Amino acid sequence: MDIRKFVVGSFDDEAVLFPAVKKVRKAGYKIHDVYTPFPVHGLDGALGLRDTSLHTAGFVYGLTGLTTALSFISWILTRDWIQNYGGKPHFSLPAWIPIMFELTVLFSAVGMVLTFCYLCQLAPFVKKHVFHPRATDDLFVMVIECTSKTNVKETEDFLAAAGAKEVNVQIAEAGWWLGRYDQDRHLFDNKSETVTA
Amino acid sequence: MSLIKYESFVREPLVDGEKTYNQVTEDIVYTIEAKPTRLWYIGFYISIALLLFGVYSLYRDVTYGIGQWNLGKTIGWGWDITNFVWWVGIGHAGTLISAILLLFRQGWRTGVNRAAEAMTIFAVICAGQFPIWHMGRVWMAFFVMPYPNTRGPLWPNFNSPLLWDVFAISTYFTVSLLFWYSGLLPDLATVRDRAKTKLRKLLYGIASFGWSGSTKHWQRHESLSLVLAGLSTPLVLSVHTIVSFDFATSVVPGWHTTIFPPYFVAGAVFSGFAMVQTLMLITRRVMNLQDYITLGHIEAMNKVIVLTGSIVGCAYLTELFIAWYGANPYEYDIFFKYRIAGAYGWSYWLMMTCNVISPQLFWFKKLRRNIGFTFFMSIVVNVGMWFERFVIIVSSLYRDYLPSSWSLYYRPTIFEIGFYLGTFGLFFTCYFLFSKYFPVIAIAEIKSILKTSGESYKEKMADLENLSVEEFYAKTHDHH
């Protein structure tokens, strides 16, 4: 378990959020994450996140599919069980192109989705802390992580000054756990005191 | 980056009315949270009834064999393969909207992509039934899978277009499902986070995979959608190309033509958009989503219909021309004696009227924006496209090379029709459940275009619209 203390500021307009992100980063606060109801273009750049290389993974999976199809079919039709189809060559590449193409696409798509779910830790029964229930509706929720040096009060004031409509402090699990969204299991009931501000 | 989100007034708004992000959520999630209407129940029960009749027809087919259908040694492919190609074609519009229009950055796709993708998945499920049950001994259907077996091992024939079809359709289904569901995750999380009942929290919690809306996750999500769109684009073209190979690689006159792949793909998109229109016109009305699926959306889809309809028309005429110019007597006879004339001439002319002549009316803007007319045309096009496949299959088969096996007339049995009706039942049962339990419009995507293409936001940009180019440049670049 990874229980941490967070200062949470909720913005209701992405036009306010962008300068706020800049200010907060400039002031040296550590932004844990920003939760948004839709992909806000440029926000990843503003947060200093590097580009994802998911598409490279997709390319590699695609090549795997292509190689699998070609090697499998050519092994079957020229080695394992040779058959005479209308006197045509056993190694008849043009006729295999459709299946080679389909397997390229299939491997690439399935592989990428699985990788995406793994990287983002998405699966049925996976639960994560919800900082604000409206983060999937109409609020842009900036979560700042408190370190031992953070002055919580000051951080809250800073976020409010940057335009946050709601500011609060939350102690929460930073990662994921197996759980149900209809039940609140307090994983850390007795631990809240141990966290130092 | 500039924070001014500007889109010219030349483009119609994609979201009508005064909307906030919250209002978008409310409007779209409303149908999930409210009790279904009486109309929904009536439709749902009719679909279930059709589905049950289909199941009974299949029970007859499996118990007594394919003899339950009126197929013979001459017309070995009849209604079932016609229906197969028809349903696969229907599916194509969903992928075209979700993938190709995403690559072309067409904003209007956001209003209809979710439902169209769902339609694709259900249509492909329906399509898949036909070749499977047509096998007759359906319990051996798994023989098409290439796996090490105790029969040799004997492998399927990788040079056969029928096996290509197995791979194409199953890949198409899988990729469409992944694309659709990965797009649904954020919206399911939206439903989860505002759920009032425990059951809804539990179920949407499981279904949304713990989506949180993290910036990094959105970044990966965008990359995933874009690459899946890039993969689906050639995939959707390949699927109907391969379906057309089922015919084109044969030596049957009227099938053995190189024009088939593009002609089939255009026809598929044509019929698919007609089905999207049928569904969307009902959905927007019943679910009160006129602000999101606007007249502009309907017009855009009608433009695709008139384009693809004209391509299909061109293909029909090219076929006729080549049948004459190619100087192959068998080819000539099929087209000029048995298609445009002969026992099945009526179906050819029905196809011509529905697919080529009547869609030309969509050149008129007034008709493109007329809801009643669009609905009528969407049915006409789908009838026409069903007959296209019927014409290709039956009118080529009923006059064999061997006159002694000529078949005079083929008419389906009630169980052949029942199977087709059953897939309608399956399709609409799925669609009704989808429209009740899933967000029928991509909520997150609508929000991401709201401030550029929403009606009320565009109005606020009116003063920018009247600026000269220099003033506009100066003004928008102040906001760095």
Side-chain angles (χ1 to χ4, degrees):
Chain A
M1 278 199 297
D2 184 15
I3 313 295
R4 295 185 213 163
K5 187 170 186 175
F6 301 100
V7 179
V8 181
S10 309
F11 297 77
D12 63 357
D13 191 347
E14 68 270 37
V16 181
L17 177 75
F18 266 100
V21 165
K22 270 186 200 159
K23 272 186 230 162
V24 168
R25 286 191 71 205
K26 211 169 177 186
Y29 291 109
K30 187 181 170 196
I31 297 185
H32 170 68
D33 211 333
V34 180
Y35 299 93
T36 61
F38 59 86
V40 180
H41 286 277
L43 187 59
D44 46 349
L47 283 171
L49 299 173
R50 73 172 184 86
D51 253 352
T52 174
S53 31
L54 193 61
H55 44 270
T56 315
F59 181 70
V60 175
Y61 293 128
L63 276 187
T64 315
L66 185 74
T67 326
T68 308
L70 179 62
S71 50
F72 192 49
I73 300 176
S74 54
W75 171 73
I76 287 170
L77 292 186
T78 64
R79 291 273 179 284
D80 187 59
W81 192 277
I82 297 168
Q83 291 200 77
N84 184 342
Y85 294 119
K88 295 187 183 89
H90 295 135
F91 189 90
S92 48
L93 193 61
W96 304 343
I97 287 175
I99 294 181
M100 280 160 58
F101 171 75
E102 299 300 333
L103 283 200
T104 309
V105 170
L106 183 68
F107 274 53
S108 180
V110 173
M112 266 184 79
V113 170
L114 291 179
T115 311
F116 167 74
C117 287
Y118 172 75
L119 289 175
C120 300
Q121 282 122 19
L122 297 171
F125 296 102
V126 160
K127 190 173 176 184
K128 287 165 198 156
H129 178 68
V130 176
F131 286 98
H132 200 302
R134 273 167 64 196
T136 50
D137 179 8
D138 61 347
L139 289 185
F140 305 84
V141 180
M142 191 197 296
V143 178
I144 295 176
E145 196 185 318
C146 299
T147 59
S148 53
K149 290 174 203 144
T150 313
N151 181 336
V152 175
K153 185 76 190 71
E154 205 180 279
T155 316
E156 286 183 276
D157 293 344
F158 192 90
L159 274 179
K165 295 284 170 216
E166 266 177 62
V167 182
N168 57 39
V169 180
Q170 296 180 27
I171 296 168
E173 162 69 53
W176 61 277
W177 67 95
L178 289 176
R180 293 163 50 167
Y181 275 87
D182 61 325
Q183 292 173 344
D184 272 329
R185 258 179 70 212
H186 290 284
L187 299 160
F188 46 87
D189 266 347
N190 307 321
K191 288 196 173 179
S192 54
E193 290 311 305
T194 61
V195 180
T196 46
Chain B
M1 58 167 277
S2 162
L3 286 174
I4 285 211
K5 294 185 168 184
Y6 172 78
E7 190 183 88
S8 168
F9 272 37
V10 175
R11 292 188 183 275
E12 238 179 292
L14 294 174
V15 181
D16 283 346
E18 196 88 29
K19 302 282 183 216
T20 59
Y21 292 138
N22 177 253
Q23 192 58 44
V24 172
T25 314
E26 295 285 344
D27 287 350
I28 298 172
V29 177
Y30 171 76
T31 44
I32 298 176
E33 294 174 346
K35 281 228 173 332
T37 57
R38 182 187 294 264
L39 214 60
W40 187 90
Y41 278 112
I42 295 173
F44 185 67
Y45 288 135
I46 294 176
S47 311
I48 293 276
L50 284 176
L51 177 60
L52 288 177
F53 186 51
V55 171
Y56 177 67
S57 304
L58 282 180
Y59 158 77
R60 298 275 304 198
D61 166 47
V62 174
T63 316
Y64 301 106
I66 290 284
Q68 288 295 296
W69 300 348
N70 262 346
L71 300 176
K73 76 177 166 84
T74 310
I75 301 177
W77 283 1
W79 268 52
D80 55 346
I81 301 300
T82 302
N83 300 336
F84 160 67
V85 182
W86 187 76
W87 274 121
V88 180
I90 299 273
H92 278 53
T95 323
L96 188 103
I97 291 174
S98 61
I100 300 183
L101 296 185
L102 177 70
L103 295 184
F104 286 144
R105 299 289 181 203
Q106 290 293 303
W108 64 270
R109 62 178 279 287
T110 47
V112 289
N113 66 343
R114 172 68 45 73
E117 284 172 39
M119 182 202 76
T120 294
I121 292 163
F122 307 145
V124 174
I125 293 174
C126 291
Q129 303 308 315
F130 291 97
I132 290 176
W133 299 95
H134 186 243
M135 288 179 188
R137 280 182 260 179
V138 71
W139 49 92
M140 292 187 178
F142 64 92
F143 276 24
V144 300
M145 303 312 289
Y147 66 100
N149 52 60
T150 51
R151 307 184 295 276
L154 192 61
W155 303 97
N157 180 2
F158 291 96
N159 299 336
S160 159
L162 299 181
L163 192 73
W164 304 344
D165 243 358
V166 173
F167 277 86
I169 304 285
S170 49
T171 301
Y172 185 45
F173 174 71
T174 314
V175 175
S176 302
L177 188 68
L178 291 175
F179 198 4
W180 179 67
Y181 202 79
S182 59
L184 259 172
L185 289 176
D187 291 354
L188 292 173
T190 304
V191 182
R192 172 199 75 200
D193 285 345
R194 50 176 280 131
K196 296 278 190 303
T197 66
K198 279 198 124 192
L199 185 68
R200 205 178 291 148
K201 260 194 168 37
L202 170 70
L203 294 179
Y204 286 97
I206 297 169
S208 60
F209 286 17
W211 176 266
S212 60
S214 153
T215 307
K216 187 70 195 175
H217 296 182
W218 274 121
Q219 185 203 42
R220 294 192 186 115
H221 190 267
E222 292 266 277
S223 164
L224 179 75
S225 313
L226 201 61
V227 178
L228 283 185
L231 288 169
S232 304
T233 300
L235 177 67
V236 68
L237 301 182
S238 86
V239 171
H240 229 60
T241 298
I242 291 175
V243 169
S244 82
F245 283 166
D246 291 345
F247 303 96
T249 57
S250 73
V251 289
V252 177
W255 289 7
H256 187 64
T257 56
T258 44
I259 200 178
F260 263 22
Y263 155 24
F264 267 51
V265 171
V269 173
F270 178 57
S271 68
F273 267 90
M275 189 59 119
V276 175
Q277 292 282 35
T278 315
L279 292 178
M280 287 298 107
L281 290 175
I282 298 172
T283 306
R284 75 196 279 272
R285 177 75 170 273
V286 173
M287 299 190 156
N288 218 0
L289 293 170
Q290 285 96 332
D291 285 348
Y292 300 93
I293 305 167
T294 64
L295 268 183
H297 288 86
I298 292 166
E299 191 190 358
M301 291 194 275
N302 282 337
K303 284 179 183 165
V304 179
I305 288 181
V306 72
L307 170 74
T308 47
S310 306
I311 297 177
V312 167
C314 262
Y316 292 167
L317 298 180
T318 310
E319 262 189 340
L320 284 181
F321 171 74
I322 292 295
W324 164 75
Y325 186 69
N328 176 330
Y330 297 102
E331 195 79 11
Y332 183 88
D333 279 9
I334 280 292
F335 277 94
F336 290 96
K337 284 193 185 155
Y338 307 130
R339 270 198 192 168
I340 65 175
Y344 289 100
W346 57 273
S347 60
Y348 185 87
W349 290 106
L350 193 60
M351 162 188 107
M352 269 293 189
T353 317
C354 295
N355 294 350
V356 186
I357 299 165
S358 57
Q360 298 305 320
L361 290 169
F362 276 142
W363 288 108
F364 298 103
K365 183 163 184 157
K366 263 226 165 73
L367 293 175
R368 283 201 302 269
R369 296 180 78 88
N370 182 321
I371 292 179
F373 182 73
T374 302
F375 188 77
F376 173 72
M377 278 304 300
S378 72
I379 307 286
V380 167
V381 166
N382 267 320
V383 170
M385 284 309 290
W386 190 88
F387 273 101
E388 179 201 292
R389 279 65 177 252
F390 181 81
V391 165
I392 291 173
I393 292 173
V394 175
S395 77
S396 271
L397 288 177
Y398 86 114
R399 287 292 178 262
D400 208 338
Y401 282 116
L402 204 62
S404 63
S405 49
W406 282 8
S407 171
L408 248 187
Y409 210 75
Y410 160 71
R411 75 167 65 71
T413 64
I414 182 70
F415 300 115
E416 238 166 322
I417 298 171
F419 185 14
Y420 184 43
L421 293 178
T423 52
F424 269 99
L426 179 62
F427 180 82
F428 283 103
T429 304
C430 292
Y431 192 79
F432 275 110
L433 290 174
F434 159 74
S435 64
K436 172 66 189 81
Y437 294 105
F438 291 86
V440 286
I441 289 178
I443 306 174
E445 287 187 43
I446 289 287
K447 286 177 189 164
S448 67
I449 58 149
L450 184 65
K451 291 201 172 168
T452 26
S453 307
E455 192 185 17
S456 56
Y457 297 91
K458 289 195 94 148
E459 280 162 10
K460 288 174 199 154
M461 291 186 261
D463 49 334
L464 277 177
E465 184 74 13
N466 299 320
L467 298 177
S468 70
V469 177
E470 291 78 22
E471 284 170 329
F472 179 79
Y473 183 83
K475 186 140 190 178
T476 50
H477 284 71
D478 278 349
H479 290 260
H480 268 278

